[in-house]
Amino acid sequence: QSVLTQPPSASGTPGQRVTISCSGSSSDIARNPVNWYQQIPGTAPKLLIYSNNQRPSGIPDRFSGSKSATSASLAISGLQSEDEADYYCATWDDSLNVYIFGIGTRVTVL
Amino acid sequence: EVQMVESGGGLVQPGGSLRLSCAASGFTFSSYDMYWVRQAPAKGLEWVSYISSHSSNIYYADSVKGRFTISRDNAKNSLYLHMDSLRAEDTAVYYCTTKGYYYDSSGSPHYFDYWGQGTLVTVSS
């Protein structure tokens, strides 16, 4: 089954900008909107970005998303200590009729 | 307030069966597609199954196809996952989740994405 490729880890100092990539294919990211989730270990995932670049109410504008062709990315600007978490991209795969998650990226604030 | 409460998890022996339930409230359950997602200990998120709002479309991950059955009862605002032939690798926290758009009184769309707190399934002898 297909999976979205993310870097396993990313880090930055407070105030820095961190970008997480999410690589897919012509049957998933290219055709469908991408959501991004933040997960603090031990808790349920929380939606950060939907439909590639939209923020739900209550999500700070430090978080932004983008998509181009078969890839998507999440940017966190003005990194804060509370941003330490795991981040997952997710989308639907039309050819397999499956919903797929990225492998997850652990963000560390140095 | 939206609530999604999973139940039915526990310890089961390899080869055994278990039925998970998800009780939903605070939104029009019958209007929305539902998902089961799981997370093995210290691992990432894995989609398990999908069911459309009126059960006309159902999909499974290859890892559970033929062993798990998703269903829903819109009259009871409940989602289910019947799991047979359980394996050690099915050990995980299982979440029910939904996503979609609702429209406010002025007709403006708002996106939502709700998750339950999860229920732990442990497959071990």
Side-chain angles (χ1 to χ4, degrees), chain A residues 52-68:
Chain A
N52 307 322
N53 55 17
Q54 302 298 303
R55 276 187 312 277
S57 60
I59 300 300
D61 59 6
R62 304 187 293 105
F63 294 93
S64 62
S66 64
K67 187 178 96 168
S68 178

Side-chain angles (χ1 to χ4, degrees), chain A residues 36-93:
Chain A
W36 287 90
Y37 295 90
Q38 178 193 62
Q39 187 181 33
I40 307 293
T43 67
K46 172 185 174 183
L47 182 69
L48 280 183
I49 297 288
Y50 69 94
S51 195
N52 307 322
N53 55 17
Q54 302 298 303
R55 276 187 312 277
S57 60
I59 300 300
D61 59 6
R62 304 187 293 105
F63 294 93
S64 62
S66 64
K67 187 178 96 168
S68 178
T70 60
S71 292
S73 64
L74 173 73
I76 310 172
S77 58
L79 194 64
Q80 300 180 4
S81 57
E82 59 260 37
D83 298 334
E84 272 207 348
D86 297 320
Y87 293 82
Y88 297 89
C89 56
T91 191
W92 191 259
D93 184 311

Side-chain angles (χ1 to χ4, degrees), chain B residues 10-119:
Chain B
L11 175 63
V12 61
Q13 291 190 336
S17 299
L18 214 53
R19 187 204 199 202
L20 305 183
S21 299
C22 172
S25 60
F27 66 103
T28 308
F29 180 79
S30 60
S31 296
Y32 295 99
D33 304 341
M34 298 294 298
Y35 305 72
W36 285 101
V37 173
R38 69 183 180 183
Q39 187 169 35
K43 298 293 186 182
L45 300 170
E46 180 189 15
W47 169 79
V48 173
S49 185
Y50 159 93
I51 186 167
S52 59
S53 59
H54 292 283
S55 306
S56 55
N57 291 303
I58 287 174
Y59 304 118
Y60 298 98
D62 285 348
S63 57
V64 307
K65 200 174 294 183
R67 300 186 300 121
F68 290 12
T69 302
I70 191 172
S71 62
R72 63 190 295 163
D73 185 336
N74 287 344
K76 295 183 178 179
N77 290 344
S78 293
L79 175 72
Y80 306 102
L81 186 69
H82 188 86
M83 306 184 293
D84 289 324
S85 305
L86 283 162
R87 307 166 180 168
E89 53 265 36
D90 296 318
T91 294
V93 173
Y94 285 73
Y95 296 100
C96 64
T97 176
T98 186
K99 55 180 67 62
Y101 287 90
Y102 71 91
Y103 296 85
D104 63 24
S105 56
S106 67
S108 299
H110 300 272
Y111 189 82
F112 68 91
D113 184 294
Y114 299 127
W115 294 65
Q117 85 290 346
T119 185

